[in-house]
Amino acid sequence: MAGHTDNEVMIKAPFDLVWNMTNDLENWPQLFSEYASVEVLQRTGDTTTFRLTMHPDEDGKVWSWVSERETARDVRTVWARRVEPGPFAYMNIRWEYEEEPEGTRMRWTQDFEMRPDAPVDDPTMTDHINRNSRIQMDLIRDKIEQRARETVGA
């Protein structure tokens, strides 16, 4: 059995600002609450390989992995996958952006499967990702909307 999540948020800001802020990997520790650091390992065209390191979890464990991310601004889509899957057999993420009259809709879909020896199963991870995606998307929305207000006021 595999896991699948699909979450979205409406951000009251122009596409260019949403795209630029959410694809500025080096700034992710300031955009997401869960990431302690991002280390870019390689950039080739629109593809970036990078290491993400999270803040310690409730047990003090620090999770870190390498991912690859390909951006396609012309179709307003990003494809990402874990290169070092860790407890996942695989993890694929798709970010989609849609410009609407009230702002930009950002959607994340994640397809994954947990390894048999992982600490949680697919349904448990699906629930966790859904909960956490909503938290992170709300934080990102608030930060981008704040930047949009500051830019208009400048």
Side-chain angles (χ1 to χ4, degrees), residues 3 5 19 22-23 25 28 32 35 46-52 65-72 76-85 88-97 107-113 129:
T5 65
W19 177 270
T22 59
N23 288 291
L25 296 179
W28 274 13
F32 290 81
Y35 299 139
D46 293 326
T47 302
T48 305
T49 304
F50 59 101
R51 175 170 293 284
L52 272 176
W65 63 91
V66 173
S67 287
E68 183 179 80
R69 187 173 167 84
E70 180 185 354
T71 60
R76 298 181 170 156
T77 303
V78 176
W79 299 270
R81 68 180 184 89
R82 282 191 180 207
V83 177
E84 293 177 356
F88 296 91
Y90 64 88
M91 166 63 86
N92 298 312
I93 307 169
R94 181 179 174 120
W95 296 43
E96 296 172 287
Y97 302 81
R107 179 180 178 199
W108 298 343
T109 54
Q110 294 171 272
D111 291 294
F112 60 90
E113 187 174 340
I129 290 173

